[in-house]
Amino acid sequence: MNDPAALQVGPLAQGPDDASLVRRARLGDERALETLVLRHQDVAFDAAFRVVGDEDTAADVAQDAFLKAFKGLDRFREEASFRTWLIRIVINTARSALRTRGRRRERSLESVDEPVSQEDPARIALIRTEADRVGERLAELPEKQRLAITLRVFEGMSYREIAEACGSTEGAMRVNYHMGIKRLREWLT
């Protein structure tokens, strides 16, 4: 599930790819910009939230990041995917927001999507409790470990994409991912 196109569902998965939309946006096509926002707003918000830990701040960061991306679209060299480039802008914008607001420590992580099923309510409650416990522990990890895990697990990104988004090397992000997973396993057992 490392293919970004495989993650896209619904009407936005159909139609032009990101590279075509970027080319059109560079020429002033506002519909292309709108499509890029609609296609990537969730991943931008999620990445921002993972860094700042607050929904309102994350929404502001995602919006600021889109504005920065669109203002700097001429500087996008297409060496990485648009999504990876945007996430890097989101992460940098979120870090800057934390510095500006004097908040260095992230506090929470949104819960794993709740299961929709006809299973035993006690089992569902147990699953929710465990998901909350994992989310709390994940929020305690150092930023690079938390980002490596969340971008890999929740966004399905490859190590290469995560490295590009975080401004690191692929090897370093692999290490951060595996160290974070190891730490989570130790804490949760």
Side-chain angles (χ1 to χ4, degrees), residues 26 73-80 85:
R26 284 179 172 154
L73 209 51
D74 289 336
R75 292 189 307 271
F76 175 49
R77 296 183 308 255
E78 299 184 45
E79 293 170 358
W85 182 70

Side-chain angles (χ1 to χ4, degrees), residues 157-186:
M157 294 175 71
S158 69
Y159 291 113
R160 181 186 51 76
E161 290 173 316
I162 296 167
E164 290 170 4
C166 293
S168 187
T169 65
E170 185 175 338
M173 294 319 288
R174 283 180 186 274
V175 168
N176 278 300
Y177 173 82
H178 290 290
M179 286 179 62
I181 292 292
K182 180 181 176 188
R183 205 178 249 179
L184 283 175
R185 283 185 182 139
E186 290 170 359

Side-chain angles (χ1 to χ4, degrees), residues 113-158:
D113 291 337
E114 296 178 7
V116 178
S117 99
Q118 302 292 15
E119 291 187 43
D120 176 30
R123 186 174 189 305
I124 292 172
L126 177 64
I127 290 170
R128 287 182 183 152
T129 301
E130 286 301 307
D132 289 344
R133 202 169 138 230
V134 170
E136 289 169 3
R137 287 303 193 165
L138 190 57
E140 295 174 16
L141 290 174
E143 181 183 270
K144 285 193 176 189
Q145 290 177 11
R146 184 177 55 258
L147 285 170
I149 290 170
T150 56
L151 292 175
R152 180 93 173 137
V153 173
F154 294 108
E155 303 303 333
M157 294 175 71
S158 69

